[in-house]
Amino acid sequence: MNKLSIINKNGVAVVTINNPPANVITIDLINEINAFILSLRDDRDTKVVVFKSSNDNIFLAHLDLNVINGTPGGQAACIEFSHMIANIKAMTQASIAMVDGVARGGGNEFAMACDLAYGTENAAFAQPEIHVNIPTGGQGAVQFARRMGKNKALQALLVGNDFTAQQAEALSIITQFVPKAEIENFVNKVAGTISRLEVRDIMMYKEIICAAVRDEGAGAELELRHFLVRAKEEKTQIIFRSFLKHGGQTEREATDFQGIFVDVIAELSK
């Protein structure tokens, strides 16, 4: 039985996860997600992947406890879960988690692996693994430490409490809180904007940001390298000429900056 429903339209793939009764991360679901992500490796038409849930209360639950058993098969499943997290992070497309329900344990790690994550008032985020005698297994502790700092990460991991979407945004667990009534339109707008870019644009900024997080100097060097390469491209010069033609570098930038781009897009789309 397929646990993913995928609709791919205009450069945006919407992936709905359906693994009843509780969207637990089973090995079948892991394998299906991994296969889908790997199928996109050479896809230059799909620019954005949005992950959402068919469950009204749960975005994605924890890893299936039945595979955390120390057996060779169980250990292999746990490793595949780790591979799934790594695969999400390595996607060439922009990945978005649209969280309108609980995301604890592996579900929270899944959301953090995505490039962007948005949560509603129905969302809850937590890493409560310590209360079942295990640490996080999908980079939960690593991401908490990098995003929150030592003290807040340690408290969150030792207590294992839920965070609301507003709290999760403040702690950089997710990108932004968005009310449930607005999240569909909000995510569609973000995804639609990104989908008009090239995959290489998405990968460029992913590479720069990843390098900068590790080392500021390395990030700055990579950014300059990309900048100088793009400056030589004819595409860049065509856009610049149109931008200047429609009021770039004039007072229009102060009052109608977006309008300049609308005019540029209209001209270059002819």
Side-chain angles (χ1 to χ4, degrees):
M1 174 181 172
N2 291 338
K3 302 180 185 303
L4 303 180
S5 173
I6 303 165
I7 298 174
N8 200 326
K9 184 178 180 181
N10 298 327
V12 179
V14 178
V15 181
T16 304
I17 302 170
N18 180 27
N19 194 23
N23 267 6
V24 168
I25 305 174
T26 59
I27 187 59
D28 289 343
L29 178 59
I30 292 169
N31 289 338
E32 197 169 337
I33 291 171
N34 277 335
F36 168 69
I37 293 172
L38 294 177
S39 75
L40 297 174
R41 180 170 289 172
D42 298 317
D43 186 339
R44 294 297 178 265
D45 295 322
T46 302
K47 318 294 180 56
V48 184
V49 178
V50 178
F51 293 100
K52 58 190 292 189
S53 171
S54 65
N55 190 305
D56 292 335
N57 300 309
I58 301 173
F59 168 68
L60 196 58
H62 49 77
L63 180 60
D64 182 4
L65 299 185
N66 292 303
V67 305
I68 309 175
N69 56 24
T71 66
Q75 300 292 70
C78 293
I79 291 170
E80 282 306 305
F81 168 67
S82 178
H83 288 166
M84 180 188 74
I85 296 298
N87 287 337
I88 295 168
K89 295 176 70 174
M91 290 172 63
T92 56
Q93 294 78 13
S95 56
I96 299 177
M98 192 168 79
V99 185
D100 184 33
V102 171
R104 296 191 185 101
N108 186 53
E109 290 167 324
F110 186 104
M112 290 194 293
C114 291
D115 297 312
L116 305 172
Y118 303 105
T120 72
E121 60 270 27
N122 295 337
F125 305 86
Q127 299 291 162
E129 288 89 343
I130 196 64
H131 298 300
V132 290
N133 199 46
I134 56 173
T136 55
Q139 303 182 27
V142 174
Q143 291 303 318
F144 270 20
R146 291 170 68 84
R147 296 169 188 229
M148 300 181 191
K150 176 185 173 182
N151 295 346
K152 285 184 171 62
L154 193 58
Q155 175 176 285
L157 293 164
L158 293 178
V159 176
N161 58 291
D162 283 353
F163 293 108
T164 65
Q166 293 95 326
Q167 291 171 323
E169 177 186 348
L171 292 168
S172 295
I173 296 172
I174 64 171
T175 311
Q176 187 176 334
F177 161 72
V178 182
K180 179 180 176 67
E182 302 171 15
I183 195 164
E184 286 278 357
N185 287 337
F186 179 88
V187 169
N188 287 342
K189 185 175 180 180
V190 171
T193 299
I194 297 172
S195 72
R196 290 192 287 272
L197 303 174
E198 296 179 58
V199 168
R200 68 175 188 141
D201 298 329
I202 298 164
M203 283 304 301
M204 176 181 68
Y205 265 131
K206 282 193 180 189
E207 290 171 1
I208 292 170
I209 291 168
C210 286
V213 167
R214 292 192 301 269
D215 182 279
E216 182 179 355
E221 181 180 340
L222 183 59
E223 179 186 67
L224 179 58
R225 191 185 314 154
H226 279 294
F227 183 90
L228 295 176
V229 168
R230 292 290 185 102
K232 294 188 294 185
E233 293 184 3
E234 179 61 20
K235 176 181 178 179
T236 302
Q237 299 310 313
I238 290 171
I239 295 172
F240 281 2
R241 287 193 291 270
S242 181
F243 185 82
L244 293 170
K245 173 183 174 181
H246 292 288
Q249 297 187 182
T250 71
E251 283 295 318
R252 189 182 181 192
E253 285 199 16
T255 59
D256 191 25
F257 190 66
Q258 293 302 320
I260 298 175
F261 281 105
V262 170
D263 290 344
V264 168
I265 292 169
E267 179 185 351
L268 299 183
S269 297
K270 292 178 181 177

